[in-house]
Amino acid sequence: MYRLLIFLWVCTGLQAQTGSFKTFQQVCADGKERPFVVYTPKEVSKKPRPLLVFLHGAVGNPELNSAPEKYAQKSPLLSIADQEGCYVLFPFGQKGATWFDSVGTQMVMDEIAAVKKEFKIDAQKVFLSGFSDGGSGVYYLSMTQPDPFAGFIVLNGSMKVASMLGEEELFVGNTNQKPFLIINTTADMLYPLEQVKPSVDLLKEVNNNVTFRTPEGNHFMSYLPQEEGVLRQFVREKSRQALSQIVWETSSKKPQQIAWLKIAGVDTLSPRAAWHLPAKNIKIWNNKADLGLKNIRFTDKGIEVVRFKSDTATAKRMGVKEGDLLITLERDSVNNAFAMMEYSSKKRAGDSLSLEVVREGKTLTLKGKYNAGYPYLLFRHRRPSAKIEARIEGKQVFVRSSRVAGYEIDPKRTPVKIKGKPEVLKNNP
């Protein structure tokens, strides 16, 4: 249903640019080759320059973008790249290689490494950005692989989507005070602002380096010209900072490294340490109006209903049947691919609605109400987690851990030369 959302940001218009584009191929962990595009800004100094990575939306589409370079040429981020002298990396994902699975995330990290070898990149100024699914992917990587990045730019993303689709469970403390610039619009038809704000507030509780902006608009990047100065300032002023304190929580058993802290593995069958409290989660009220159509087909006469999300979906409960052609929502004609979502974005759960469908040549008017709202948990925390906290004081490292099978301090990556072995915090049982 949402595969066309990958192109929504193009509606801001073509961008004037005088830099150059180059397309590369990346062999991914599943053995498949996928393209990525790099934009070189119009003026490149001999000094290393920042890298802005942009993750596209609708990443669950089975097909890869057939014209990746043309896609990159229309990006509204090119103006920022030219003004700030940034390279821009455009990875291209698809179903089976998304921003939420191991194949897709490893693809992104490998492409960043390849760009660093090919171009003069300032390793302290690599920024991860994305729109829609891409913005949700930024959340996912910020809590699973934050180490290489100077900051994160989330455009119309959803932390809930990142948690729901992600292979790994998410913990906001893993962002380790890295800076965020988050932009969500006031009338987003996919991610209502009143559902997004509680998740951002939770992130702010553990990370005091979060800027949250809410311009007017729907699920489009039409706000970018007015927000360009903020984005440029973020890229210009933020740099990757050496961590003197690390917090890391995970349900994954694979070895991991965060800056100078290596985690050999976890033992989630062991009892949790007394200081290791359950990760904070929040309930959010879902008041989004949803017709409950899972698969639809766009035609020049309306929207053909192919499948419902469930037997209790709003439309099915109202009497809509598979094969019906939806032609109007109240007085609004269904004359474009986004009409249904735009109409529902003006409604809330429990609101009344009427619609017209064509069935076997007859036009039927159906009336009813959207399904009632309901609460949901922001994060899926279904598996036991391990947690470790480490901090550097002077030339010593203090560590406490819970359910961590083994860890190691990498002295080559610590911001200061470490003396002796890490000491265990006194309140570590």
Side-chain angles (χ1 to χ4, degrees), residues 38-333:
V38 178
Y39 175 69
T40 300
K42 59 183 179 181
E43 294 181 6
V44 181
S45 68
K46 295 182 180 179
K47 296 181 179 180
R49 304 301 299 169
L51 174 64
L52 183 60
V53 184
F54 181 78
L55 307 181
H56 64 71
V59 74
N61 193 330
E63 295 85 23
L64 277 171
N65 191 307
S66 60
E69 198 161 306
K70 288 184 179 179
Y71 172 92
Q73 289 170 358
K74 298 175 181 178
S75 172
L77 295 180
L78 301 184
S79 173
I80 296 171
D82 283 340
Q83 294 294 328
E84 297 302 321
C86 295
Y87 290 94
V88 186
L89 164 61
F90 297 92
F92 290 89
Q94 63 180 140
K95 185 177 181 180
T98 73
W99 318 135
F100 313 104
D101 62 49
S102 57
V103 174
T105 54
Q106 188 59 51
M107 176 187 73
V108 173
M109 306 307 286
D110 289 345
E111 289 173 1
I112 292 172
V115 171
K116 286 180 177 179
K117 289 182 179 180
E118 183 75 15
F119 301 90
K120 291 184 178 180
I121 302 298
D122 184 347
Q124 307 309 315
K125 294 187 75 66
V126 178
F127 297 88
L128 185 65
S129 68
F131 170 71
S132 191
D133 265 1
S136 305
V138 173
Y139 278 130
Y140 184 74
L141 283 164
S142 75
M143 300 180 208
T144 57
Q145 299 193 55
D147 189 40
F149 301 106
F152 303 100
I153 302 171
V154 181
L155 307 175
N156 291 87
S158 165
M159 211 177 292
K160 175 59 180 176
V161 169
S163 174
M164 180 176 63
L165 299 181
E167 285 184 2
E168 296 187 27
E169 296 187 353
L170 301 183
F171 303 90
V172 289
N174 289 4
T175 59
N176 283 290
Q177 301 299 313
K178 294 219 170 189
F180 281 78
L181 174 58
I182 303 171
I183 301 178
N184 285 88
T185 43
T186 55
D188 192 316
M189 60 189 170
L190 293 186
Y191 310 134
L193 189 59
E194 54 265 40
Q195 292 187 50
V196 170
K197 188 177 182 301
S199 65
V200 177
D201 289 341
L202 177 62
L203 178 61
K204 286 182 175 181
E205 286 185 22
V206 299
N207 187 331
N208 59 14
N209 209 349
V210 177
T211 300
F212 185 40
R213 297 180 66 82
T214 57
E216 293 183 358
N218 205 315
H219 198 76
F220 302 90
M221 287 174 67
S222 54
Y223 54 79
L224 204 61
Q226 73 188 62
E227 298 292 333
E228 182 174 313
V230 178
L231 270 74
R232 287 179 56 191
Q233 183 179 8
F234 187 84
V235 172
R236 189 184 317 126
E237 294 182 355
K238 304 299 182 182
S239 295
R240 183 170 176 262
Q241 301 297 314
L243 297 177
S244 59
Q245 182 168 332
I246 294 174
V247 174
W248 195 254
E249 189 163 5
T250 182
S251 295
S252 173
K253 295 183 179 181
K254 65 182 181 182
Q256 300 173 56
Q257 179 163 355
I258 312 91
W260 39 266
L261 179 63
K262 295 180 180 180
I263 301 174
V266 302
D267 180 11
T268 53
L269 296 179
S270 298
R272 189 174 60 214
W275 62 269
H276 179 193
L277 301 177
K280 187 171 182 180
N281 208 342
I282 56 172
K283 279 188 177 180
I284 298 176
W285 185 258
N286 183 5
N287 63 348
K288 183 179 176 180
D290 185 5
L291 284 171
L293 304 182
K294 187 171 185 178
N295 293 102
I296 55 180
R297 186 176 294 112
F298 303 115
T299 75
D300 57 358
K301 296 180 180 179
I303 293 177
E304 181 184 348
V305 178
V306 178
R307 190 178 174 191
F308 299 99
K309 291 181 179 178
S310 69
D311 289 339
T312 58
T314 295
K316 188 169 186 177
R317 190 171 45 78
M318 289 176 60
V320 177
K321 295 183 178 181
E322 294 177 357
D324 284 355
L325 189 67
L326 179 62
I327 57 174
T328 66
L329 291 160
E330 288 186 342
R331 298 179 181 178
D332 296 339
S333 298

Side-chain angles (χ1 to χ4, degrees), residues 391 393 395-399 407 409 418-424:
R391 72 172 187 266
E393 291 185 6
K395 294 186 177 182
Q396 291 180 302
V397 181
F398 297 84
V399 180
Y407 64 85
I409 305 300
I418 300 302
K419 181 180 179 180
K421 294 182 179 180
E423 295 189 20
V424 177

